[in-house]
Amino acid sequence: MEGLHEVLRRARPAEPVISLVVPVFNEAQALPAFMAAVESRIHVPDARLELIFVNDGSRDGTLSFLLQLAAARDDVTLVNFSRNFGKEAAMTAGLDHARGDAVVLMDVDLQDPPELVAAFVEKWREGYDIAYGLRQSRASDTRAKRVTAGAFYAWFNRISDTPIPVNVGDFRLLDRRVVHALRQLPERGRFMKGLFAWVGFPSVAVPFERAARAHGQSTWNYWKLWNFALEGIVSFSTAPLKIWSYLGLLLAIGAALYALFILARVFLVGIDVPGYASLIVVMLMGTALNLISLGMIGEYVGRLFVETKRRPVYIVEGVYTAGGRVDTDGGSEG
Ligand code: UDP
Ligand code: MG
């Protein structure tokens, strides 16, 4: 590895452009503090920053704030979605529109400390292509969220072919060629953590303490998180499809043994009528397993359906810069 790092280190431009990609959904309250933090807390020597905001269908003052900002500053680009497409789509759009030599993905709520951007760039200059923030503790999360997140990562990494690092969010720097690789992945279901891991490249963790949200509330409730986890697992593993044949085989063996046992008992002791309880238990179990396996197949078939429609990941209402509105045809150019 040492050799590759040397080569990459020398290939880094002396005065790079670093793009900050920031997905924004109903964050009018958080935006002024975020801009102040960008000014005062990000100091990257010998580099130019550009800001790409993706407004993900906000329904508060977010859009007018960002429109003004984009008009006033030539280092700010606003990509405005036609509606809410979710954070994963917003990050995808940000990567599509970023022009920097390296791109940093960052939340607007200041849970990702802006100071880390300089540390990321430092690692990038050393020759790493990906530098990602590693949460030292999940103290800012609730206990229940910590437990469920822990269980998810343990399970995901067991059954997926591409393990993802634990306690790592989307907050990271990506070299241009990583962005290029990500943009080549055509899938609609964009579980970014999995995609980051899948494309590979030399990566390094930068530890940090995750702060509590500066303003407002997280829009992730448990139902959304559950669906996010399901998306991740179903997109990166086919194990849930395959376990049913083995479970069925086990059940069949169990049933055969039980049948032998009943037959033997009939011959030895004679017929005894009761059996309702065991019957109903076996019946309900069998039916439940059938439904679960069918549902699991449904998860995959549903995603096949979505992928085969080949709809774009997001629709852009407009792209705004200091020069005004940039013409787009509304689709994603990804
Ligand atoms: N976000 C988005 N679209 C959404 C939900 C969230 O672009 O549908 C943005 C949000 O504005 C923030 C980031 O994604 O910049 C992270 O959101 P949040 O803080 O709610 O998530 P958490 O920190 O709890 O993971
Ligand atoms: Mg947050």
Side-chain angles (χ1 to χ4, degrees), residues 113-322:
E115 287 80 13
L116 227 63
V117 172
F120 285 167
V121 173
E122 201 48 50
K123 289 290 175 199
W124 175 70
R125 282 185 161 135
E126 283 171 23
Y128 291 99
D129 286 312
I130 303 181
Y132 53 83
L134 177 69
R135 295 181 204 173
Q136 286 301 71
S137 76
R138 279 184 165 254
S140 64
D141 285 341
T142 61
R143 203 187 136 79
K145 189 161 176 189
R146 283 202 293 269
V147 171
T148 46
F152 167 73
Y153 284 110
W155 205 50
F156 184 96
N157 284 335
R158 249 212 150 106
I159 64 175
S160 159
D161 307 327
T162 39
I164 51 178
V166 180
N167 285 335
V168 171
D170 299 314
F171 184 34
R172 62 184 63 220
L173 173 144
L174 309 167
D175 180 69
R176 177 113 295 273
R177 55 197 192 132
V178 180
V179 174
H180 182 72
L182 283 168
R183 293 187 61 194
Q184 284 184 311
L185 305 182
E187 56 250 74
R188 318 289 105 180
R190 301 203 73 85
F191 182 69
M192 294 296 262
K193 282 186 234 263
L195 300 183
F196 294 144
W198 188 88
V199 293
F201 291 103
S203 310
V204 63
V206 181
F208 76 106
E209 285 295 336
R210 188 163 159 93
R213 219 174 199 286
H215 293 275
Q217 272 188 350
S218 171
T219 53
W220 295 87
N221 55 35
Y222 278 102
W223 179 242
K224 263 177 102 174
L225 281 171
W226 159 252
N227 280 303
F228 186 61
L230 197 64
E231 174 77 40
I233 284 172
V234 173
S235 305
F236 280 88
S237 168
T238 49
L241 272 180
K242 294 178 188 155
I243 49 175
W244 301 104
S245 2
Y246 297 100
L247 213 65
L249 195 70
L250 264 175
L251 263 182
I253 293 171
L257 289 178
Y258 189 53
L260 281 180
F261 166 73
I262 289 174
L263 271 181
R265 205 173 54 174
V266 169
F267 285 122
L268 295 177
V269 199
I271 295 175
D272 79 43
V273 181
Y276 171 77
S278 53
L279 248 179
I280 200 79
V281 165
V282 168
M283 260 182 63
L284 287 179
M285 263 297 279
T287 315
L289 280 177
N290 274 332
L291 280 179
I292 294 171
S293 58
L294 209 61
M296 212 58 241
I297 293 169
E299 291 290 338
Y300 286 89
V301 173
R303 279 171 180 78
L304 278 175
F305 177 62
V306 170
E307 295 289 338
T308 49
K309 282 193 286 191
R310 304 201 57 77
R311 287 189 181 157
V313 177
Y314 57 85
I315 298 289
V316 169
E317 178 279 323
V319 177
Y320 300 88
T321 63

